[in-house]
Amino acid sequence: MEYIPLKSMAYYDECAPLVEGLGYILVELKITSSGSTKKISAVIASKDAVVDIGVNDCAKVHHALLPRLEALLGTEDTYMELTSPGMERNIKNAAEFAVFTGREIRVWDKTVTDWVSGVITASDEKSVTLEKDGEKITVPFEQIAKAKFIHI
């Protein structure tokens, strides 16, 4: 699994502080063009790992974030979709592990060809540490084929 710093996403540095000021974390931000329209896709998460994001949370961030992005992009011809990570999210970028510290996940470890699960206790640019039943295991990102949330 590849580690791509969240700050490397276009406009992330300009938008993340606004989202954090509202009490959330900006997990993903994608901007694409479809004709003259700019399509914006954003994912937010709660700062608290055990709190889920609801429709009202998404609406609150959408109303604050859309005008900021329209100003940054220099257009009002935009379409924005803002979502939560979802209960069954596949973690796409190893940088997300740090965002989801405290969440229970499972990773497919290529070296043991099986799922390894636990609660994220730590993450850096090279690996993630999971804890299950008092035991900690650190898995380097290059050993991870895929990762998913575990929803109880």
Side-chain angles (χ1 to χ4, degrees), residues 44-61:
I44 61 167
S46 172
K47 288 184 177 180
D48 184 345
V50 296
V51 175
D52 291 327
I53 298 291
V55 173
N56 290 337
D57 300 306
C58 289
K60 178 179 169 183
V61 174

Side-chain angles (χ1 to χ4, degrees), residues 133-145:
D133 300 327
E135 183 181 332
K136 289 187 178 185
I137 181 169
T138 299
V139 184
F141 296 142
E142 64 264 7
Q143 290 179 203
I144 299 174

Side-chain angles (χ1 to χ4, degrees), residues 110-137:
K110 295 185 277 189
T111 62
V112 294
T113 60
D114 199 2
W115 291 103
V116 176
S117 63
V119 174
I120 302 171
T121 59
S123 180
D124 57 24
E125 294 84 16
K126 302 216 181 290
S127 64
V128 62
T129 301
L130 307 175
E131 182 175 349
K132 185 171 184 174
D133 300 327
E135 183 181 332
K136 289 187 178 185
I137 181 169

Side-chain angles (χ1 to χ4, degrees), residues 24 28 32 36 41 49 69 75 82 86 94 122 124:
Y24 307 95
E28 191 175 309
T32 57
S36 64
S41 175
L69 283 165
T75 182
L82 192 134
D124 57 24

Side-chain angles (χ1 to χ4, degrees), residues 26 28-30 40-44 65 69 80-84:
L26 185 60
E28 191 175 309
L29 181 64
K30 290 182 187 173
I40 304 161
S41 175
V43 177
I44 61 167
L65 189 56
L69 283 165
M80 182 171 168
E81 181 179 278
L82 192 134
T83 63
S84 72

Side-chain angles (χ1 to χ4, degrees), residues 1-4 89-98 100 105-110 115 120 123-128 139-149:
M1 177 172 284
E2 189 175 5
Y3 181 93
I4 303 166
R89 179 174 176 84
N90 288 323
I91 295 175
K92 303 170 189 173
N93 173 2
E96 293 179 31
F97 290 118
F100 297 120
I105 65 161
R106 61 185 183 156
V107 299
W108 183 265
D109 186 335
K110 295 185 277 189
W115 291 103
I120 302 171
S123 180
D124 57 24
E125 294 84 16
K126 302 216 181 290
S127 64
V128 62
V139 184
F141 296 142
E142 64 264 7
Q143 290 179 203
I144 299 174
K146 56 186 165 181
K148 292 183 74 122
F149 286 165

Side-chain angles (χ1 to χ4, degrees), residues 61-74:
V61 174
H62 187 281
H63 289 302
L65 189 56
L66 182 59
R68 167 76 54 92
L69 283 165
E70 286 176 338
L72 290 167
L73 297 169

